[in-house]
Amino acid sequence: MLILKKTIFILFKVIVSFIFIILIAYYNGILLVLKEDFGFQLTLYRFLSFLLVILFIIYPFINKKIFNKTLWMLFFLWFFSMRLPGIQFYFASDNCLDTGMCKEGLEVNTEYGLVRINKENCTKYNWEWLDKIKTCEIKNNS
C-alpha cells in the first residue's frame, strides 16, 4: 500500500511538472516570436525559465523540503518577472494581436499602415478608446 501511495504521488508530481513546463514554454514561445532584442529583463526572464524547466524535470524525484520551497519560490519569482515593463510590453503586443485590445504606446500594423496606439489615433480611425485603462479597441471596418 505504501509503494502504491508513493507511486501515485510521484505520478502526480510528474503531471504537475509537465503542466508547468508547458506553461513556461508557452510564455517563452510568445516572447521568442515577438522579440529580437535581448535586453536585460528578457535575459533574466529566460534564465529563470531555463532554471525552472531543469528544476521541474527533477522535481518528481526529489522529496527534500528545501528543494520544494526553493522551486516554488523561483516559480513565483519567474511568474512575477512577467510584470517587468520590458516583458509586459511584449505580452501586451501579443494580446493586441489576439484580441484587438491594444495598450497605449504599442505600434500596430493595421489596414491604415503602422499606427502608434494613443487616444488621438484611436479616435482618428474611428476605433473605440477606453480612457480608464488607456487601451484602444481596434475594430475591423470591413
Side-chain angles (χ1 to χ4, degrees):
M1 189 65 170
L2 185 61
I3 293 174
L4 181 62
K5 280 185 178 181
K6 283 186 177 184
T7 305
I8 290 173
F9 185 64
I10 289 175
L11 183 62
F12 172 74
K13 287 172 78 172
V14 166
I15 291 169
V16 167
S17 292
F18 182 72
I19 290 169
F20 281 113
I21 288 170
I22 295 296
L23 177 74
I24 292 167
Y26 171 74
Y27 283 116
N28 275 282
I30 290 171
L31 292 176
L32 183 65
V33 169
L34 296 174
K35 181 71 173 145
E36 293 112 20
D37 177 26
F38 294 94
F40 172 73
Q41 293 176 0
L42 188 58
T43 303
L44 173 66
Y45 182 81
R46 293 260 166 107
F47 174 73
L48 287 172
S49 297
F50 176 74
L51 186 60
L52 275 173
V53 167
I54 298 299
L55 293 177
F56 271 119
I57 288 172
I58 61 176
Y59 170 66
F61 310 106
I62 296 179
N63 202 16
K64 304 281 187 207
K65 289 191 188 249
I66 189 80
F67 176 79
N68 291 338
K69 287 179 183 178
T70 304
L71 173 67
W72 293 111
M73 284 190 322
L74 275 173
F75 177 76
F76 286 111
L77 180 64
W78 171 81
F79 186 76
F80 288 113
S81 72
M82 283 193 246
R83 305 301 291 170
L84 290 170
I87 303 296
Q88 194 173 20
F89 176 80
Y90 293 100
F91 285 124
S93 247
D94 183 59
N95 186 49
C96 175
L97 294 172
D98 289 344
T99 66
M101 299 292 288
C102 302
K103 290 221 177 252
E104 184 175 39
L106 290 176
E107 282 191 13
V108 180
N109 194 8
T110 67
E111 61 197 51
Y112 307 107
L114 194 61
V115 175
R116 179 171 287 285
I117 300 298
N118 56 36
K119 187 174 184 176
E120 293 79 28
N121 285 337
C122 192
T123 53
K124 175 181 172 181
Y125 296 114
N126 295 323
W127 297 326
E128 185 177 349
W129 178 255
L130 306 171
D131 206 30
K132 189 173 183 179
I133 56 176
K134 297 189 188 283
T135 300
C136 182
E137 184 176 356
I138 296 176
K139 299 174 186 165
N140 224 352
N141 292 334
S142 36

